[in-house]
Amino acid sequence: LGPIKLGIIGCGIAARDLHFPVLQSLKDKFKIVMVCNHTEQKAREFAEMAGGVPWTLDYKELLKNPEVEAVDITLPIHMNYETVKNAVRFKKHVIVEKPLAANIEEAKKLASIEKHYKGVLMVAENYRYSPLYLKAGEMIKEGLIGELYGAFWDIFRRMDPDNKYAKTRWRIEHQYEGGFITDAGIHNIAVLRTLCGDFSTGIAAIESINPGIGKMDSMSFLFATSHMVKGVLNIYYSVDGYREDKLLLIGTEGTIIVEDGSRITLKKEGDQDTVADFPESGGYLEEFEDFYKAVRGGGKVLSTFHEAYMDLTVMLGAIHSAEGKPVKA
Ligand code: NAP
């Protein structure tokens, strides 16, 4: 059958900087046959970059193209619901960027399609495929830290207004719940659910330090999971003068530290630390390989709509808990 004939909907940062390089390295598996962006310059430039493929300003035109077997949706988050629904109507395989939808109702409706849909539906939650976090999961399963009982993840950074993501207006005037907390924090929830089990309860406190980057930018989320893991996820995007990304996984016989999205350290009392570096741990290559395998081989993807729906339920549950509503997993 050859490479999957792919249409790209949305020619922005994710498509250009994250997906395109991977698709270039997987030319035996993917062939971009059409692209869409509602503004002409971006559509033209991407089409040119992809080897002079046809482009359109209207994504429904791309969906109508019978040559397009699968679509890669990299649009502003609030557009995911409508676009995925239309892609399904046209019987395309779908890979859509995270989070699945702008709110729980829409995510639930999309997840319900998965049960009976004949094509492949996948959310591009690259952290699910990151060799770094997969390694942490293996270490836990191998029993290297005994029983995991604590997970503490600190993400402290400053989201400057000139950051490329902060420059996209749809993120600042967000029509999806949670702003950057949801947009980026959904990755952390995906990892925590994978490593620690489903969330059973939790409560968050939320703050807006810099309203210039959206309705909220700071959150502490205290949680417990069905695997009896307790922990705190701290996401602070307006921290002045300090930066950290550190996940501490505490077990009865040791501790795993995952730092800066690239290094794992195993610490055990009385032993030398074991350190491993994962410079290429984005998970983008692996997610597209999984998508290919499912489309051509007929299997199930790791990052299903259902998992993405569950991630969003926890993320928005945390946000709602800060408004006085309890988290429901
Ligand atoms: P972006 O740069 O704003 O890209 C979105 C693109 O969609 C823009 O080029 C925009 O064009 C275009 N667009 C908007 N409305 C459209 C419409 N009706 N029809 C066709 N094109 C339209 O944003 P981004 O950073 O790429 O984010 C896109 C998605 O990727 C989001 O879901 C985000 O969460 C996700 N993402 C994931 C990661 C990751 O690591 N997994 C990283 C970044 C982003 P204009 O700019 O001309 O309006």
Side-chain angles (χ1 to χ4, degrees):
L1 285 165
I4 296 170
K5 297 188 191 74
L6 190 68
I8 297 199
I9 305 179
C11 300
I13 303 167
R16 198 185 53 233
D17 298 355
L18 304 172
H19 293 199
F20 185 70
V22 162
L23 293 169
Q24 284 291 92
S25 71
L26 293 174
K27 277 190 172 162
D28 55 328
K29 297 193 167 88
F30 294 95
K31 184 175 180 213
I32 300 171
V33 292
M34 193 169 186
V35 303
C36 165
N37 203 83
H38 68 151
T39 47
E40 188 172 328
Q41 193 184 344
K42 276 178 147 178
R44 264 183 195 284
E45 280 173 11
F46 203 103
E48 190 72 18
M49 186 171 74
V53 299
W55 55 269
T56 173
L57 305 179
D58 176 358
Y59 80 84
K60 288 191 185 135
E61 290 303 314
L62 183 147
L63 293 178
K64 281 183 200 156
N65 180 347
E67 208 199 348
V68 173
E69 286 178 82
V71 288
D72 179 16
I73 301 173
T74 51
L75 287 169
I77 292 164
H78 60 270
M79 297 190 61
N80 283 355
Y81 177 67
E82 178 205 294
T83 318
V84 170
K85 269 188 56 173
N86 281 316
V88 163
R89 210 164 281 151
F90 282 89
K91 299 189 168 53
K92 307 294 183 188
H93 301 289
V94 176
I95 175 167
V96 57
E97 263 299 346
K98 40 51 61 181
L100 175 56
N103 55 56
I104 291 174
E105 293 69 35
E106 290 182 356
K108 191 173 185 178
K109 285 187 202 156
L110 293 182
S112 74
I113 299 172
E114 197 169 45
K115 288 185 200 107
H116 53 81
Y117 193 56
K118 290 206 168 52
V120 173
L121 300 176
M122 172 173 164
V123 172
E125 178 43 85
N126 51 299
Y127 276 44
R128 276 212 159 76
Y129 296 91
S130 160
L132 177 76
Y133 297 109
L134 289 174
K135 177 70 182 172
E138 277 168 27
M139 290 165 77
I140 294 166
K141 275 211 183 81
E142 283 168 24
L144 296 183
I145 59 166
E147 280 296 314
L148 172 71
Y149 68 87
F152 299 86
W153 202 337
D154 287 336
I155 297 130
F156 300 134
R157 59 172 298 182
R158 198 171 115 124
M159 185 60 79
D160 286 312
D162 61 355
N163 172 288
K164 64 180 175 182
Y165 294 120
K167 278 186 179 159
T168 56
R169 290 316 300 168
W170 63 267
R171 280 193 169 87
I172 306 306
E173 292 143 20
H174 49 96
Q175 297 171 49
Y176 59 95
E177 288 185 71
F180 273 113
I181 296 286
T182 303
D183 181 22
I186 198 83
H187 291 304
N188 310 104
I189 298 292
V191 170
L192 289 171
R193 285 190 55 246
T194 305
L195 298 180
C196 310
D198 264 321
F199 283 52
S200 47
T201 185
I203 187 158
I206 280 172
E207 191 63 75
S208 165
I209 302 299
N210 174 12
I213 60 165
K215 287 193 196 103
M216 56 189 76
D217 56 16
S218 310
M219 174 179 86
S220 288
F221 178 31
L222 171 70
F223 61 85
T225 78
S226 57
H227 295 185
M228 309 306 284
V229 180
K230 275 75 177 175
V232 180
L233 170 63
N234 288 313
I235 303 179
Y236 285 74
Y237 291 133
S238 294
V239 177
D240 203 312
Y242 183 69
R243 200 181 168 111
E244 179 176 301
D245 178 350
K246 188 187 277 186
L247 168 61
L248 224 67
L249 297 159
I250 305 178
T252 50
E253 293 163 33
T255 302
I256 294 168
I257 303 171
V258 189
E259 278 170 289
D260 302 323
S262 63
R263 168 170 288 196
I264 296 191
T265 307
L266 172 65
K267 284 180 171 287
K268 287 168 91 73
E269 212 63 51
D271 280 4
Q272 284 249 318
D273 290 356
T274 313
V275 182
D277 285 314
F278 292 77
E280 301 290 330
S281 59
Y284 302 107
L285 183 82
E286 293 82 356
E287 74 185 1
F288 274 99
E289 282 182 329
D290 195 34
F291 185 64
Y292 176 82
K293 216 165 69 192
V295 171
R296 286 290 182 253
K300 208 178 159 193
V301 291
L302 182 64
S303 188
T304 58
F305 273 22
H306 175 74
E307 288 302 330
Y309 161 62
M310 294 299 285
D311 293 346
L312 195 65
T313 305
V314 173
M315 185 79 250
L316 298 184
I319 290 169
H320 296 162
S321 78
E323 296 157 358
K325 301 173 209 157
V327 175
K328 268 214 237 124

